[in-house]
Amino acid sequence: MKMTGAEALLKILEGYGVKHIFGYPGGAVLPLYDAILNNPNIEHILVRSEQAGAHAAAAYGKYIGQSGVCIGTSGPGATNLVTGIANAYMDSIPLLAITGQVDSSFIGRDAFQEADITGITMPIVKHNYLVKDPKKLVDIIYDAWHIANTGRKGPVLIDIPRNVFEATVDFEPRTDLVKIKGYKPTYEGHQSQIKKAVKMINSSFKPLLLVGGGVNFSKAEKEVVEFVEKYNIPMATTLMGIGTYDETKDLALGMIGMHGMPYANYAVHHCDLLIAVGTRFGDRATGSLSKFAKDAKIIHIDIDPAEIGKNVLIDLPIVGDAKSVLSEILLGIEIVERNEWLEKIIELKSRNRMLLHKTALNPQLIIQKLGDMARDDILIATDVGQHQMFAAQYFKFSQENSLYTSGGLGTMGFGLPAAEGVALAAGGKKQVFCITGDGSFQMNMAEMATIVEHNLPVKILLLNNSSLCLVKQLQHFQCDKRFSEVSFTGNPDFSAMARSYPNMTAYRIENEDEIESVLKEAMSHNGPSLIECIISDENLVYPIVPAKKGLAEMIGVEKW
Amino acid sequence: MNKDNNIKINGAEIILKCLEEENVDTIFGYPGGAVLPLYDALYKNKNIRHILTRHEQGAGHAADGYARVTGRTGVAFATSGPGATNLVTAIATAQMDSIPLVCITGQVARHYLGKQSFQESNIVDIVKPITKYSYQIKNVEELATEIKKAFRIAGTGRKGPVLIDVPKDITVDKAIFEYPVEVNYKVEKWGESEHTYQLVAKELMDCKKPLIFIGGGAQDASDEVKELAERLKSPVTYSLMGKGVLSDKHPLNIGMIGMHGTGAANYAVSECDLMFAIGVRFDDRQTGDEINFAKNAKIIHLDIDKKEFNKNIRGHIHLHDDSAIGLFKLLKVMKEENYNHQKAWLDQIETWKVNHPLVYLKSGMIKPQEAIEAINVASEGKAYVTTEVGQHQMWSAQYYEAASARHFITSGGLGTMGFGLPAAMGVQLGKEGELVVAIAGDGSIQMNIQELMTISANNMPIKIVLLNNKSLGMVRQWQKMFFEERYSCTLFKDLDQPDFVMLANAYGIKARRISERADLIAEMTAAFKEDGPQFIEVVVDSEENVFPMVPAGAANDRMIFE
Amino acid sequence: MKYTLSVLVENRPGVLTRIAGLFARRGYNIDSLTVGRTEDERYSRMTIVVDGGQDIVEQVAKQLHKLIDVIKVNDITEVPHVERELVFIQVKSDSNNRGEIMDLLKIFRGRVVDLSKNSMIVETTGDCGKIDAIINALSPYGIKEVVRTGKIGLIRGDGRKN
Ligand SMILES: Cc1ncc(C[n+]2csc(CCOP(=O)(O)OP(=O)(O)O)c2C)c(N)n1
Ligand SMILES: Cc1ncc(C[n+]2csc(CCOP(=O)(O)OP(=O)(O)O)c2C)c(N)n1
Ligand SMILES: [Mg+2]
């Protein structure tokens, strides 16, 4: 079939079941926008800046399990995607970024709105393409989609000159499997390695399962449940691994790391076998490497061979997809009596808590209440700061794939567009709470307009401490309380700001006894709202694993 | 050597000392983990003012605005990872318009590098294509030298952005501070001989229909440009970046060239027999169809960057020189009396001006052009104007009467929506006590709307004029003209936009909405007279289009007038 | 220690940038890098010599493999292979010592490719040891300039580890 490059792009995306794309128009993508207008199957979501589009598409993609799509025009439209792409790269989120480019004949001449976006994004994409020849467009799109969505997932960018969008191309939907010579991810674990793993697990007295974001992407939640519930193996997660297993259960220890749950960190310290799945042992999760799980043998299961042995010395590496490898292991392992270890876990859990300084209205409490009220129903997106850590610690996630947060890059401004993307992906059927801080929220607050335009069920839970409190906390400890440029001398009147967007409701929580009633009220209707909580800037996130210390050397743990 | 008594200080303090040596008084930035030591040093520093923006992109554009208006190098700070990547658009914007900018980004400590550590991103490589220079500091000993070098590179020759990435542990390490007098940076030599300028003078004498074409590279040469134009009696046209170099009120100024240039300017391009191009790079938006650009003319191209010669347009004489110095040398060798023979040419220009003035119909809703004219009146021609990108930018370029150089601040090469509002902050701080007007569109202003808070918190008396046409007007115009009115994603319904007056109020900024023609000038004037920041929303006709227009790729004299 | 990697890549613009970028990004040290087309014009072969420990080289190989444009990475350090490097050396010489230098060249099987009044350019190929040796041998005469192509290598026979 003959059609334009722009139409072919949309046809291919349709073929993959894409329903929404996030973008912002401009000169170089005009032909694409013309094609979008004529396409009945794909809805375009007009964001208010391209950065938000990239974040929204990433979160959308994480929800549906295949890459979201975002569009930016050439030049500033493309460069505005950079943070979103870097964010997706660090968290291995599948994302397809389409950028318009100036006409091929102008490339390299500093033309109007020309930016070398393939050069710029090279360090932060899984792969990228500049399409100079319209004849190659179709194959490149198929390849790009395949690369973004297989193996260790990640962002792929296709830079398409305006004339390539307009060119006539020959398009036949492809049915064969995409094959790329230099790219063959390994899914199946090596049999002999799996056998060794089974042996190690069966002979371990104190095993601990450590789950990272890779488990989410490989949809191996069921296998994790079986490990824990059938074989009585306790589990902990990294920040990205939250939402694989119900955290209210006894053997779920929650997040490890710099601000991890005290008992999760202790468990890593005490275990004799750490079965790490789909995690890259980021420095925030491990603390001092030389002290990390130092009494344990480590099995590392990951789809990316380059992650194995990169940060932590591994006793048994298994390269493969988490779901496939875990289910193979499950075939071999036995139910082993480990009462002592399980008792130890229960004891660790009941005797250690995070230190909490009482303030007039503790953000921890708000999040805890929200969890108790709605953990089985709502989805959570967060920004970056104290509020993010409180959400990871206090909400206690119970549903699969229910947390959307920026882990590796720690991108303030991710939360609101992410909530928007997830709300759309969930078809408006789930309320999405965006837990945010006054600093982060301002970074992409313009998205309120998009949220209102589509009447999305997004609830902005704004924990307003009039400061960049996580940085303030660092200054508290590292700079002897010299607080530099972290207090906002002025903040907007957030409620008034919210109300300036049509159909946005605004609430306020100022003391503890309002928490439940306001949250209930906000949840009782489906439209967007902002709930501003006035909190102190004196809260501290505990525990803390100080720099160069091991996970067990936390400060800020309360013993019971 | 500038030694400080052998006392060792840490890297963060060294950075600030370097900035002081470079006479930096204002920095725009946003803190984070990797720049903690830097912010700690700032805390103790009394000489440098730090403006906390609400997004790093805002900091980048503000530093850029500061540089554009003062001519000095702007400075922005950001933390590693997302802080650094958030600067990318601002850096690319500065690069395209050759604006001197030094960005200092925090980075994870050296032993975390290359491991995808928390908030690590390889910003040095990311910005390679969009900076003059980007470098990651290797140790505290080289810090001062590298920063000196950064300022040298950013601020000499063809200016541009530089990024210096500093791993956190280096900002803690100590060294003796020594600010080097010289750094090892080979500056490309420029400067043409007197003989060459004599040849140019002869060309100028021999021609009948000269046209001076000025760009951003001439921002420091306004006196020389004026003198040259007056002595030659040559009409002057300008690119978007060259606006203001010669006052828009000057009788020889015939307005902007290019896609939305004036009739007189674009016809003059096609008819002139000599074009003297000063500090321009012949961007496609200026030249249209390159083959037919100034096809009857000999082109003399004066530029400080050799790479620009013959890049887009072939010039006949290349003058590799600083524009002010070059013109100064030229003026010296020009023989006064000989240049008085262009009457017919000036008459022709006058005819074009009369036949093809900038026009619009003053009926129905307020026209955006009227709002710009109201700004002319209310500001008494004294304002420093920043714009966003879109139709309002082009109308500002066409109708705003810039009094002198560095009074019209806009993103020309990259065309970055979201530039204008934060840039206005830099402009205001660079020109304290002066009137600064930020002209915005309803699409663009949302891109960095959070900076309203920075403006309000610091009580910067910027007058923000929002031309609300409830659309991404410039894109809508293209869809109207070239896509048979298929408006895809460019029209905002009432529900799709905030109530901007309420929104500004929420930021503590006084705001008003003007929707009646009768109120326009009075309200605009009243707002400009008030203290502190002011937000003025003008509800304008959304159907209005920017004319004249040279369709992309067409010759400049193929303008469409309505 | 030095490791030699033989890397088969797609012959496309930008591939070299990607690889160089990877080395810069992760802070690996490249000793030398050569590229050229292979028998199949769709692919190029690179020979990369890296300096570092075993663990570093393993990471390099894995990270290279992750690049989509990289088809195959072989660490040929321990595998029997042939390797050669080409060098041009411009050495000071005049009629007095020209003969002496020529004699020296015979030992290294070098040849003179350019001659002027007070210098000559000589060319030779060999493994890295030989190249170092000839440079050493010529240095007493005064070397004005040296260009080395960097090493190229190919696995011998059926290429099994010894
Ligand atoms: C884009 C970006 N810039 C800077 C940082 C550094 N940073 C990390 S947390 C934080 C403070 C966040 O403040 P807020 O959103 O108000 O959350 P709080 O800690 O107060 O809950 C900052 C500035 C970052 N993570 N991302
Ligand atoms: C960051 C960015 N994204 C997209 C574009 C493409 N673009 C150019 S003008 C324009 C519309 C601008 O709308 P508005 O700010 O409302 O100004 P108007 O044209 O309506 O005056 C767009 C989307 C751009 N220049 N910059
Ligand atoms: Mg806060």
Side-chain angles (χ1 to χ4, degrees):
Chain A
M1 253 184 300
K2 299 259 186 238
M3 56 181 76
T4 67
E7 285 161 350
L9 168 63
L10 295 180
K11 274 265 176 279
I12 297 172
L13 295 181
E14 255 178 52
Y16 283 116
V18 171
K19 298 257 171 343
H20 296 97
I21 52 185
F22 300 83
Y24 207 86
V29 286
L30 272 176
L32 177 57
Y33 275 77
D34 202 40
I36 286 172
L37 194 65
N38 296 327
N39 185 304
N41 302 319
I42 297 182
E43 188 185 355
H44 176 271
I45 306 297
L46 177 68
V47 288
R48 295 308 188 265
S49 84
E50 291 86 354
Q51 181 180 25
H55 288 322
Y60 182 98
K62 185 177 176 214
Y63 183 89
I64 62 170
Q66 73 172 23
S67 70
V69 181
C70 60
I71 302 174
T73 190
S74 68
T79 56
N80 275 350
L81 295 175
V82 166
T83 297
I85 292 172
N87 185 72
Y89 182 66
M90 290 294 266
D91 287 343
S92 311
I93 304 177
L95 176 69
L96 186 64
I98 307 284
T99 51
Q101 182 56 279
V102 300
D103 265 41
S104 329
S105 59
F106 281 111
I107 291 177
R109 295 207 276 147
D110 303 324
F112 178 67
Q113 292 195 327
E114 178 188 359
D116 172 14
I117 196 64
T118 41
I120 292 170
T121 55
M122 212 165 264
I124 48 168
V125 288
K126 192 167 168 190
H127 199 53
N128 63 20
Y129 299 90
L130 165 62
V131 189
K132 285 198 173 150
D133 178 359
K135 286 204 283 299
K136 298 204 169 131
L137 178 69
V138 167
D139 280 342
I140 285 178
I141 298 167
Y142 277 112
D143 285 359
W145 183 273
H146 178 69
I147 291 169
N149 283 290
T150 54
R152 177 177 179 175
K153 298 172 183 177
V156 176
L157 178 139
I158 314 178
D159 196 23
I160 306 178
R162 186 181 157 137
N163 58 305
V164 175
F165 277 128
E166 284 170 337
T168 306
V169 301
D170 230 332
F171 171 72
E172 288 306 327
R174 269 173 62 171
T175 46
D176 57 326
L177 288 176
V178 174
K179 282 205 185 102
I180 301 167
K181 203 152 163 91
Y183 177 73
K184 290 185 196 76
T186 311
Y187 287 93
E188 312 268 303
H190 203 287
Q191 273 308 321
S192 70
Q193 299 296 86
I194 286 173
K195 283 211 186 85
K196 281 185 207 152
V198 167
K199 237 198 211 140
M200 283 166 81
I201 296 170
N202 285 343
S203 58
S204 151
F205 296 107
K206 300 188 282 181
L208 178 68
L209 186 65
L210 176 65
V211 166
V215 172
N216 263 323
F217 288 118
S218 115
K219 302 254 164 280
E221 292 93 347
K222 273 218 306 289
E223 287 71 19
V224 169
V225 173
E226 202 175 329
F227 258 87
V228 183
E229 295 189 351
K230 181 157 171 207
Y231 296 98
N232 287 319
I233 297 176
M235 68 88 76
T237 71
T238 63
L239 178 63
M240 300 312 292
I242 290 179
T244 30
Y245 179 67
D246 185 349
E247 293 185 335
T248 62
K249 297 280 177 68
D250 279 348
L251 292 184
L253 297 169
M255 173 176 76
I256 66 163
M258 178 170 174
H259 296 303
M261 309 304 277
Y263 33 88
N265 282 345
Y266 287 134
V268 172
H269 186 68
H270 289 300
C271 69
D272 67 1
L273 177 69
L274 189 70
I275 310 154
V277 199
T279 166
R280 58 191 182 83
F281 294 111
D283 51 308
R284 283 284 154 127
T286 60
S288 158
L289 286 175
S290 59
K291 294 174 182 163
F292 180 75
K294 70 180 191 339
D295 295 333
K297 290 218 162 7
I298 302 181
I299 301 175
H300 189 187
I301 302 165
D302 205 288
I303 196 151
D304 180 0
E307 280 306 331
I308 287 177
K310 191 181 85 179
N311 293 338
V312 169
L313 280 180
I314 299 304
D315 298 280
L316 181 72
I318 307 180
V319 177
D321 169 63
K323 190 178 180 74
S324 145
V325 173
L326 286 183
S327 52
E328 294 260 352
I329 292 177
L330 281 169
L331 293 178
I333 59 174
E334 294 152 9
I335 300 176
V336 179
E337 284 268 322
R338 298 186 180 100
N339 287 337
E340 220 173 301
W341 175 232
L342 297 186
E343 275 158 28
K344 173 90 181 168
I345 292 287
I346 306 289
E347 187 205 308
L348 284 174
K349 258 187 112 167
S350 61
R351 292 205 39 230
N352 297 284
R353 285 190 208 167
M354 296 162 285
L355 191 64
L356 185 149
H357 281 306
K358 202 70 196 112
T359 52
L361 174 63
N362 276 99
Q364 297 94 326
L365 196 67
I366 301 168
I367 290 170
Q368 196 168 14
K369 279 256 165 69
L370 179 65
D372 290 344
M373 291 170 71
R375 75 171 48 85
D376 294 338
D377 307 314
I378 62 176
L379 303 171
I380 301 289
T382 84
D383 260 304
V384 173
Q386 287 191 332
H387 61 273
Q388 176 190 33
M389 291 299 119
F390 292 144
Q393 295 173 332
Y394 287 88
F395 185 80
K396 304 237 175 292
F397 290 81
S398 62
Q399 304 170 70
E400 288 176 11
N401 213 4
S402 53
L403 172 63
Y404 298 80
T405 195
S406 166
L409 198 65
T411 312
M412 293 171 68
F414 174 76
L416 192 60
E420 166 193 326
V422 174
L424 270 162
K429 291 193 195 73
K430 289 219 171 202
Q431 295 195 357
V432 185
F433 270 69
C434 168
I435 299 180
T436 182
D438 49 320
S440 300
F441 177 54
Q442 294 187 61
M443 290 217 166
N444 276 317
M445 55 140 281
E447 279 320 292
M448 278 196 288
T450 314
I451 287 168
V452 165
E453 181 182 345
H454 298 275
N455 196 28
L456 298 174
V458 170
K459 316 287 174 182
I460 303 163
L461 185 67
L462 171 63
L463 300 176
N464 182 0
N465 46 23
S466 297
S467 73
L468 302 172
C469 220
L470 191 65
V471 179
K472 183 164 186 267
Q473 162 164 1
L474 292 174
Q475 291 175 347
H476 177 103
F477 289 108
Q478 293 176 26
C479 307
D480 216 5
K481 303 196 188 168
R482 288 184 300 275
F483 299 126
S484 173
E485 302 294 318
V486 287
S487 300
F488 286 128
T489 42
N491 251 343
D493 175 341
F494 285 107
S495 303
M497 184 170 104
R499 285 197 204 97
S500 71
Y501 288 84
N503 294 342
M504 189 87 174
T505 321
Y507 305 95
R508 227 172 135 99
I509 300 179
E510 291 182 39
N511 51 57
E512 278 183 18
D513 36 311
E514 292 165 353
I515 301 176
E516 239 179 283
S517 58
V518 172
L519 289 179
K520 214 185 215 154
E521 166 74 26
M523 282 188 268
S524 71
H525 69 92
N526 231 8
S529 58
L530 177 136
I531 308 153
E532 181 186 10
C533 310
I534 309 297
I535 62 169
S536 154
D537 63 351
E538 310 237 294
N539 291 292
L540 296 170
V541 179
Y542 282 126
I544 300 169
V545 178
K548 304 199 175 89
K549 295 281 172 142
L551 289 184
E553 298 171 282
M554 290 164 277
I555 60 166
V557 181
E558 218 177 340
K559 305 276 178 191
W560 290 69
Chain B
M1 287 285 159
N2 191 342
K3 266 198 191 185
D4 253 9
N5 308 337
N6 289 0
I7 303 170
K8 287 198 170 187
I9 56 175
N10 74 24
E13 291 158 337
I14 291 177
I15 292 173
L16 295 188
K17 281 233 180 257
C18 295
L19 298 184
E20 286 179 14
E21 294 279 345
E22 295 291 339
N23 295 318
V24 172
D25 55 12
T26 308
I27 296 170
F28 301 86
Y30 206 88
V35 284
L36 270 190
L38 194 53
Y39 275 77
D40 199 35
L42 262 180
Y43 182 89
K44 300 171 197 156
N45 184 296
K46 301 274 172 301
N47 306 323
I48 298 180
R49 157 173 70 171
H50 176 271
I51 302 295
L52 175 65
T53 55
R54 295 304 187 268
H55 191 297
E56 289 85 356
Q57 189 182 353
H61 289 318
D64 172 322
Y66 184 88
R68 286 182 202 237
V69 79
T70 60
R72 290 159 50 195
T73 300
V75 181
F77 282 0
T79 191
S80 67
T85 54
N86 275 349
L87 287 175
V88 167
T89 297
I91 292 173
T93 305
Q95 165 83 353
M96 287 298 261
D97 291 344
S98 311
I99 306 301
L101 197 63
V102 169
C103 295
I104 297 184
T105 51
Q107 182 55 281
V108 299
R110 278 169 291 180
H111 57 276
Y112 283 126
L113 284 170
K115 296 183 182 154
Q116 250 191 23
S117 306
F118 179 66
Q119 293 194 329
E120 177 189 3
S121 59
N122 181 239
I123 193 66
V124 168
D125 274 2
I126 292 175
V127 301
K128 277 247 163 78
I130 49 170
T131 45
K132 244 181 119 175
Y133 180 65
S134 73
Y135 183 72
Q136 185 176 74
I137 303 292
K138 301 279 175 297
N139 54 56
V140 70
E141 288 76 23
E142 68 173 30
L143 189 51
T145 313
E146 286 300 327
I147 292 194
K148 167 110 186 176
K149 191 166 155 191
F151 276 88
R152 272 295 290 287
I153 295 174
T156 48
R158 178 173 181 173
K159 299 174 182 174
V162 172
L163 182 136
I164 299 293
D165 194 33
V166 194
K168 184 174 180 179
D169 54 333
I170 294 178
T171 57
V172 180
D173 284 356
K174 294 191 166 176
I176 294 169
F177 174 67
E178 267 175 53
Y179 206 57
V181 183
E182 258 318 307
V183 286
N184 171 21
Y185 166 59
K186 218 171 56 249
V187 185
E188 204 187 352
K189 289 230 175 358
W190 64 82
E192 299 288 351
S193 66
E194 193 182 306
H195 174 70
T196 313
Y197 283 108
Q198 272 159 356
L199 291 180
V200 173
K202 181 167 174 345
E203 293 287 347
L204 294 175
M205 196 169 68
D206 291 348
C207 73
K208 302 252 169 331
K209 298 188 266 180
L211 178 65
I212 298 173
F213 172 25
I214 49 186
Q219 283 288 351
D220 285 324
S222 23
D223 292 346
E224 291 79 6
V225 167
K226 180 156 175 271
E227 190 181 334
L228 178 71
E230 288 173 355
R231 279 172 63 182
L232 274 180
K233 299 237 164 6
S234 163
V236 176
T237 180
Y238 55 79
S239 73
L240 191 59
M241 301 309 296
K243 188 176 171 71
V245 170
L246 182 68
S247 164
D248 277 306
K249 291 216 170 95
H250 194 286
L252 286 170
N253 190 334
I254 60 171
M256 185 167 70
I257 200 174
M259 182 172 279
H260 292 297
T262 62
N266 281 332
Y267 285 128
V269 167
S270 299
E271 287 284 312
C272 66
D273 65 355
L274 180 135
M275 173 179 275
F276 193 173
I278 306 163
V280 301
R281 57 190 185 83
F282 297 109
D283 167 297
D284 50 305
R285 288 281 149 123
Q286 303 158 6
T287 61
D289 172 14
E290 291 162 6
I291 295 165
N292 284 310
F293 181 77
K295 59 178 185 295
N296 299 313
K298 216 170 213 175
I299 297 177
I300 303 173
H301 189 183
L302 169 58
D303 207 289
I304 199 156
D305 182 0
K306 220 166 42 187
K307 292 192 294 300
E308 286 304 326
F309 298 135
N310 290 344
K311 189 179 82 179
N312 292 336
I313 294 287
R314 295 201 79 79
H316 300 85
I317 301 180
H318 297 145
L319 301 171
H320 187 210
D321 215 332
D322 175 89
S323 51
I325 298 171
L327 290 182
F328 178 80
K329 287 191 256 183
L330 172 64
L331 288 166
K332 237 174 47 188
V333 301
M334 270 168 58
K335 306 246 167 18
E336 206 102 15
E337 54 287 355
N338 297 339
Y339 301 94
N340 207 358
H341 53 222
Q342 332 288 1
K343 174 112 181 41
W345 175 231
L346 289 179
D347 287 348
Q348 170 70 73
I349 299 262
E350 202 48 41
T351 315
W352 283 325
K353 272 193 187 170
V354 171
N355 291 345
H356 305 285
L358 292 169
V359 283
Y360 60 91
L361 262 181
K362 266 192 208 181
S363 62
M365 293 178 76
I366 298 179
K367 294 291 182 311
Q369 298 93 323
E370 273 180 283
I372 310 288
E373 290 186 319
I375 293 172
N376 281 333
V377 177
S379 67
E380 299 165 9
K382 289 191 204 125
Y384 288 85
V385 162
T386 72
T387 82
E388 298 283 355
V389 172
Q391 290 182 316
H392 65 277
Q393 177 192 32
M394 291 302 127
W395 284 315
S396 301
Q398 292 178 334
Y399 289 87
Y400 180 67
E401 293 178 338
S404 55
R406 303 195 180 282
H407 275 61
F408 187 78
I409 309 290
T410 195
S411 165
L414 200 66
T416 306
M417 294 172 67
F419 167 81
L421 188 67
M425 307 194 302
V427 171
Q428 185 74 74
L429 294 179
K431 290 285 167 193
E432 267 169 287
E434 304 285 340
L435 176 63
V436 177
V437 178
I439 302 176
D442 50 316
S444 300
I445 202 172
Q446 295 189 57
M447 292 226 167
N448 278 312
I449 188 95
Q450 74 285 346
E451 298 309 326
L452 285 178
M453 197 59 235
T454 313
I455 291 171
S456 162
N458 293 285
N459 198 26
M460 303 176 190
I462 300 168
K463 316 301 173 210
I464 302 152
V465 179
L466 170 65
L467 304 189
N468 190 350
N469 57 5
K470 298 205 169 84
S471 66
L472 303 176
M474 185 56 94
V475 183
R476 185 198 54 83
Q477 173 168 349
W478 284 58
Q479 288 169 342
K480 178 180 169 68
M481 297 176 66
F482 309 114
F483 291 87
E484 297 163 331
E485 303 190 29
R486 289 190 299 275
Y487 297 126
S488 175
C489 308
T490 47
L491 307 180
F492 290 121
K493 298 183 295 297
D494 279 340
L495 276 188
D496 307 346
Q497 277 197 341
D499 176 324
F500 286 104
V501 168
M502 273 173 79
L503 185 61
N505 282 330
Y507 282 104
I509 296 178
K510 184 153 181 216
R512 63 187 86 208
R513 178 176 292 125
I514 309 175
S515 19
E516 296 299 328
R517 172 164 292 116
D519 303 337
L520 181 59
I521 289 181
E523 283 283 318
M524 191 77 80
T525 311
F528 282 17
K529 291 238 156 68
E530 288 204 45
D531 293 335
Q534 300 287 322
F535 193 98
I536 304 134
E537 177 184 2
V538 187
V539 181
V540 297
D541 191 342
S542 45
E543 305 271 303
E544 194 63 16
N545 294 317
V546 185
F547 289 117
M549 177 170 191
V550 181
N556 283 34
D557 56 5
R558 292 291 144 82
M559 278 167 285
I560 304 171
F561 286 97
E562 60 192 307
Chain C
M1 147 156 196
K2 296 203 165 137
Y3 292 83
T4 308
L5 301 177
S6 174
V7 186
L8 189 69
V9 302
E10 301 271 356
N11 177 15
R12 274 197 205 129
V15 174
L16 191 59
T17 331
R18 266 179 226 278
I19 289 180
L22 177 94
F23 277 79
R25 190 147 68 244
R26 307 218 173 236
Y28 308 138
N29 253 332
I30 308 182
D31 234 50
S32 78
L33 188 156
T34 59
V35 210
R37 277 241 291 274
T38 62
E39 70 286 354
D40 183 334
E41 65 170 35
R42 289 172 299 167
Y43 310 121
S44 308
R45 184 173 297 282
M46 293 189 179
T47 310
I48 307 177
V49 180
V50 247
D51 205 355
Q54 176 74 40
D55 48 334
I56 303 252
V57 173
E58 235 179 85
Q59 262 298 308
V60 171
K62 282 177 179 171
Q63 294 294 347
L64 278 172
H65 205 84
K66 264 176 86 164
L67 296 177
I68 309 292
D69 291 330
V70 170
I71 296 160
K72 214 165 163 185
V73 184
N74 274 325
D75 179 353
I76 60 173
T77 321
E78 308 269 301
V79 185
H81 66 276
V82 280
E83 58 176 61
R84 286 290 179 277
E85 186 173 0
L86 169 70
V87 66
F88 286 145
I89 306 165
Q90 188 177 31
V91 61
K92 287 189 193 153
S93 80
D94 48 31
S95 46
N96 295 329
N97 60 12
R98 205 168 279 152
E100 210 177 307
I101 294 177
M102 300 288 227
D103 286 345
L104 242 174
L105 287 184
K106 275 193 205 125
I107 304 175
F108 290 100
R109 278 188 247 152
R111 10 186 239 124
V112 177
V113 289
D114 186 60
L115 200 64
S116 66
K117 220 166 81 195
N118 32 25
S119 75
M120 61 165 99
I121 298 176
V122 307
E123 167 208 283
T124 192
T125 59
D127 59 21
C128 303
K130 176 176 160 192
I131 304 287
D132 290 341
I134 187 171
I135 292 174
N136 272 335
L138 288 175
S139 56
Y141 301 95
I143 288 178
K144 295 174 83 171
E145 225 172 310
V146 174
V147 241
R148 303 171 66 147
T149 57
K151 181 158 104 176
I152 57 172
L154 207 58
I155 299 176
R156 283 178 195 274
D158 61 358
R160 244 175 256 123
K161 284 209 183 197
N162 44 3

